[in-house]
Amino acid sequence: MTKTLIFAHRGDTEIAPENTLPAFESALKKGADGIELDVYLTTDGYLIVHHDHYLGRTNEGSGFIGDFTLAELQRLDAGSWFDTAFSGERMPTLEQVLDLGRGETRFQIEMKSSSTAIVHHVHETVVRSGLADVVHLTSFHVPLLVEAVRLKPRCAIGVFFADPLPEWMQPELRERQIVDWMMAMDAQTAHVRPQLLTSGFVDRMHSRGFAVHGANLDCENQMRHAIAIGVDRFDTDCLETALTIRAESQRQ
């Protein structure tokens, strides 16, 4: 069985503030196979790493993040909310994160801005870094993924499929929709919630040449189940637990 890859969701967020260089560095040191991060395009054309659409939860600012320049955003303290030990930590750029993990990890980049301009900026940055073969692009904004498919060289594309399902929709129909979407998007990886992670679903997706990513698996039972049924990869906020469970499964 192929080893299930573990991605640190926004970095090692149990140890350091999310989407910061210390969080990513900790994830790499602990042995994460990849790091997941979120990027926005600033008003002056830079790619800033941050999750929320609005400032305030993980920094001292306020307002829509896409309305600021890089300099304005990097003046904000992005660490004190987590612990005073991280006081003065700044939001990193995508380029800084790629440089940090170069040669050591894979990257899952979620594009958060709505304009397709972000796709071209991300693509140019990734290609310039020489890391296109270890970058996986995702977004809930489907037009961004459509645009990403057109670019060469291509990064791998992952499509999110959210739950819960509507009451009228059976899992079998949802699976058909997932396959159709993946084919239409020319995507490689389906990101699905635990509700759809069954051995049959994973086997059928593999038979069609698609990879399966477990989205935000933070419970031990979810992690054990995903590894047991051969999920290709999953992201988690509980990195140490995930790595321990995988190591245990490999010894059995």
Side-chain angles (χ1 to χ4, degrees), residues 83-147:
D83 192 286
T84 55
F86 296 97
S87 177
E89 190 63 44
R90 306 302 173 189
M91 298 182 214
T93 64
L94 174 60
E95 191 169 27
Q96 286 177 302
V97 178
L98 293 177
D99 286 342
L100 176 70
R102 183 184 303 277
E104 296 187 47
T105 194
R106 300 168 178 83
F107 304 87
Q108 179 181 313
I109 302 172
E110 181 177 344
M111 300 176 290
K112 303 296 284 280
S113 299
S114 58
S115 169
T116 56
I118 191 174
V119 180
H120 294 273
H121 281 78
V122 169
H123 184 262
E124 290 169 6
T125 301
V126 168
V127 171
R128 186 170 63 247
S129 72
L131 296 172
D133 58 337
V134 292
V135 166
H136 181 95
L137 299 180
T138 62
S139 180
F140 278 102
H141 192 46
V142 174
L144 302 187
L145 299 181
V146 173
E147 186 68 14

Side-chain angles (χ1 to χ4, degrees), residues 76-244:
L76 302 177
D77 182 340
S80 293
W81 69 275
F82 185 86
D83 192 286
T84 55
F86 296 97
S87 177
E89 190 63 44
R90 306 302 173 189
M91 298 182 214
T93 64
L94 174 60
E95 191 169 27
Q96 286 177 302
V97 178
L98 293 177
D99 286 342
L100 176 70
R102 183 184 303 277
E104 296 187 47
T105 194
R106 300 168 178 83
F107 304 87
Q108 179 181 313
I109 302 172
E110 181 177 344
M111 300 176 290
K112 303 296 284 280
S113 299
S114 58
S115 169
T116 56
I118 191 174
V119 180
H120 294 273
H121 281 78
V122 169
H123 184 262
E124 290 169 6
T125 301
V126 168
V127 171
R128 186 170 63 247
S129 72
L131 296 172
D133 58 337
V134 292
V135 166
H136 181 95
L137 299 180
T138 62
S139 180
F140 278 102
H141 192 46
V142 174
L144 302 187
L145 299 181
V146 173
E147 186 68 14
V149 169
R150 299 172 181 163
L151 302 177
K152 307 295 180 183
R154 275 192 58 183
C155 297
I157 303 296
V159 183
F160 292 123
F161 297 96
D163 67 329
L165 301 180
E167 291 184 5
W168 56 267
M169 183 180 289
Q170 296 299 315
E172 293 80 5
L173 177 57
R174 184 54 166 160
E175 182 178 325
R176 287 177 180 270
Q177 288 188 342
I178 289 173
V179 170
D180 290 342
W181 270 75
M182 293 290 289
M183 293 177 65
M185 294 289 300
D186 194 16
Q188 290 72 49
T189 303
H191 292 245
V192 299
R193 300 291 187 178
Q195 181 181 5
L196 287 173
L197 290 179
T198 66
S199 58
F201 172 78
V202 172
D203 289 345
R204 288 188 290 272
M205 291 297 286
H206 285 170
S207 70
R208 293 176 170 89
F210 300 127
V212 178
H213 178 110
N216 303 107
L217 305 188
D218 294 330
C219 298
E220 291 189 23
N221 288 343
Q222 292 174 347
M223 298 177 192
R224 294 184 192 280
H225 176 68
I227 292 170
I229 65 174
V231 166
D232 299 277
R233 41 186 278 180
F234 65 85
D235 61 77
T236 182
D237 291 316
C238 304
L239 179 60
E240 286 192 43
T241 299
L243 292 171
T244 298

